[in-house]
Amino acid sequence: MEIHSVSEVTNFIKRMFQREPVLGCIQVRGELSNFRCYASGHCYFTLKDANSCIKCVMFRSRAQGLRFRPENGMQVVVSGNISVYERDGVYQLYADRMMPEGAGDLALAFEQLKARLAAEGLFDAAHKKPLPRFPKRIGIVTSISGAVLRDIYHVSKRRWPSVQLVLKPVLVQGEEAAAQIAAAIAFFNEKYPVDVLIVGRGGGSMEDLWAFNEEPVVRAIYASKIPVISAVGHETDFTLADFASDQRAATPSQAAELAVPDRAELLRYTESLMARLAQQGKRQLQEKRLRLDACRRSAALQKPQLLLASRTQRLDHATARLDALMKSQMKEKRHALEIALQQLDYLNPVHILRQGYGIVEKEGSPVTSVRAVHEGDRLTVTLKDGRLTARVESAAGTEGRA
């Protein structure tokens, strides 16, 4: 019996796998396990069911095409070929494509990215900016071909003829579409400011609209300082751009209606305001005229003397009360003055002199004690009717008397 090396056996088994058509293009359903994506971009994982498992690898060139983020425990269908990895001597599935079981990969990618961006606050209502009421210039980010641009032009010009429309043409589907849309939004914000932006395209499948679900586009709308109206697809189509924009329009035509006011409607509104103003003016004028007529018929204007009579009588009564009060107070003050004068008169030295007393002074100063004078001093004595000069013959005090 011939003896073979390990490499020969492994290579033989690998050729057996390669010769089997079923294994060359196969789809395998299973649960993701041990999924890891390395810095190289290659992904390694295991597919398993209740009874078995198979190792799998998806190289970077294929993994870049994934629309969703694979997670452990997810049910998927993997397409590819089964071969032998000679170094380890194990067979594994070389994956070309991965689809989530049940929902499509685009739907799953949509929900995953929506949840992640919502957690970051990109869809918060507090971040929404109000649309300008009367825009002068509108920026449009869409394809140069197609009905979208035509619809926006006709509707906006019909409603607000003076508005200026500025187109930044971009691809709206395909691999380069998302980058072009995000760059166009940044262009208007950084180099060509406008009052409002309309970003959109016509309807289509989820694949056709996918550029407006790409993260660069959503972040560009969120970062825009210019209010953004999203107009992607039809009324039933929703993209992540709709959630991030300041206003969603069901169609491009509705986007134009949201962006500009209706001139005809404003004229009608202005005319109604003017009519109401004229009616209000007439009503106020009529009310003023009625008040004027009532004033002209009033007693005050017909017989003004009657209006003064009551006030004259009130003035007379007030004057009488004031005069009586003044007299009463004068009488009280006069009585108080008389009492004060009488008291002052009692304290007057002249009153004392009239009773036979005199004021003795020595050299202009009153003498209040015999100790203040000596024998031979000249004194001045003031009486009630004049003065006299006296000389001290003797001075004796009262100390020591019994």
Side-chain angles (χ1 to χ4, degrees):
M1 179 179 295
E2 185 179 356
I3 300 175
H4 298 277
S5 67
V6 174
S7 297
E8 289 176 340
V9 174
T10 304
N11 186 262
F12 178 79
I13 296 174
K14 181 177 181 178
R15 290 196 302 271
M16 289 177 56
F17 275 84
Q18 291 175 344
R19 288 193 297 267
E20 178 59 47
V22 174
L23 301 181
C25 183
I26 191 171
Q27 290 184 327
V28 182
R29 176 189 294 111
E31 178 184 334
L32 278 179
S33 177
N34 300 320
F35 183 89
R36 295 187 67 182
C37 188
Y38 290 87
S40 62
H42 305 321
C43 300
Y44 298 87
F45 55 95
T46 301
L47 276 182
K48 65 179 183 178
D49 58 19
N51 301 311
S52 303
C53 63
I54 181 172
K55 292 183 178 298
C56 306
V57 58
M58 177 177 277
F59 295 120
R60 181 178 61 184
S61 59
R62 301 296 185 180
Q64 288 176 341
L66 286 174
R67 298 282 192 175
F68 67 100
R69 181 169 42 186
E71 297 177 355
N72 291 330
M74 187 180 292
Q75 289 289 331
V76 296
V77 175
V78 179
S79 303
N81 64 90
I82 296 178
S83 185
V84 174
Y85 182 40
E86 295 179 71
R87 194 198 70 175
D88 293 343
V90 297
Y91 72 91
Q92 58 186 18
L93 174 59
Y94 292 85
D96 296 328
R97 188 178 179 188
M98 183 186 300
M99 293 280 292
E101 180 77 347
D105 57 344
L106 291 182
L108 181 58
F110 179 91
E111 294 300 332
Q112 287 181 338
L113 183 57
K114 178 182 176 182
R116 180 161 60 86
L117 297 181
E120 294 183 29
L122 269 67
F123 306 147
D124 290 350
H127 186 72
K128 308 295 183 183
K129 296 176 288 296
L131 301 181
R133 188 69 181 91
F134 301 101
K136 296 180 180 179
R137 184 184 296 169
I138 297 176
I140 303 173
V141 178
T142 190
S143 172
I144 196 170
S145 61
V148 172
L149 183 60
R150 184 177 63 252
D151 291 346
I152 293 176
Y153 177 84
H154 288 314
V155 173
S156 59
K157 286 295 185 179
R158 172 175 53 81
R159 289 170 62 87
W160 200 246
S162 63
V163 70
Q164 179 184 358
L165 302 177
V166 182
L167 172 66
K168 182 65 174 175
V170 296
L171 294 176
V172 293
Q173 69 181 78
E175 293 183 0
E176 300 179 4
Q180 290 190 14
I181 296 169
I185 296 172
F187 168 80
F188 281 112
N189 277 270
E190 297 170 3
K191 299 181 180 180
Y192 202 95
V194 293
D195 299 313
V196 64
L197 277 175
I198 297 178
V199 180
R201 57 155 291 160
S205 64
M206 193 171 191
E207 288 80 1
D208 295 337
L209 306 180
W210 189 254
F212 295 90
N213 290 320
E214 295 282 359
E215 187 171 350
V217 174
V218 179
R219 291 193 180 277
I221 293 175
Y222 176 80
S224 175
K225 297 178 182 179
I226 303 171
V228 177
I229 301 174
S230 64
V232 183
H234 300 301
E235 186 172 358
T236 56
D237 297 322
F238 277 89
T239 64
L240 297 182
D242 295 328
F243 296 107
S245 63
D246 300 294
Q247 183 74 51
R248 175 190 180 263
T251 62
S253 297
Q254 188 187 38
E257 293 176 356
L258 293 171
V260 297
D262 188 349
R263 180 175 179 271
E265 182 180 345
L266 286 177
L267 286 175
R268 290 192 296 269
Y269 179 66
T270 304
E271 290 172 356
S272 68
L273 288 180
M274 293 180 65
R276 289 170 56 188
L277 182 62
Q279 184 179 4
Q280 182 70 13
K282 290 180 180 179
R283 182 165 57 251
Q284 290 184 353
L285 183 61
Q286 182 66 20
E287 292 175 356
K288 301 296 184 183
R289 184 177 290 111
L290 292 175
R291 291 181 60 186
L292 178 60
D293 292 341
C295 290
R296 293 171 59 185
R297 292 192 300 269
S298 66
L301 293 181
Q302 295 292 332
K303 294 180 180 181
Q305 64 276 13
L306 296 179
L307 183 64
L308 296 175
S310 61
R311 286 173 170 75
T312 302
Q313 187 175 2
R314 289 173 58 188
L315 178 60
D316 291 341
H317 290 167
T319 303
R321 289 197 301 271
L322 182 61
D323 184 64
L325 180 61
M326 182 182 66
K327 289 180 179 180
S328 174
Q329 290 183 351
M330 288 293 293
K331 183 177 180 181
E332 292 177 358
K333 298 297 182 182
R334 185 178 292 108
H335 179 68
L337 178 61
E338 291 176 353
I339 293 175
L341 290 174
Q342 187 177 6
Q343 292 176 347
L344 184 61
D345 185 59
Y346 286 137
L347 297 176
N348 191 346
V350 176
H351 182 74
I352 299 174
L353 295 178
R354 290 174 182 168
Q355 297 180 7
Y357 297 96
I359 299 174
V360 180
E361 296 176 309
K362 176 184 176 181
E363 298 177 354
S365 299
V367 177
T368 58
S369 173
V370 296
R371 291 193 298 271
V373 297
H374 302 88
E375 186 177 344
D377 289 344
R378 294 177 60 86
L379 303 176
T380 302
V381 181
T382 302
L383 301 174
K384 69 175 182 176
D385 54 354
R387 291 183 177 183
L388 56 85
T389 303
R391 185 181 299 274
V392 178
E393 294 292 340
S394 62
T398 59
E399 288 90 355
R401 292 186 179 179

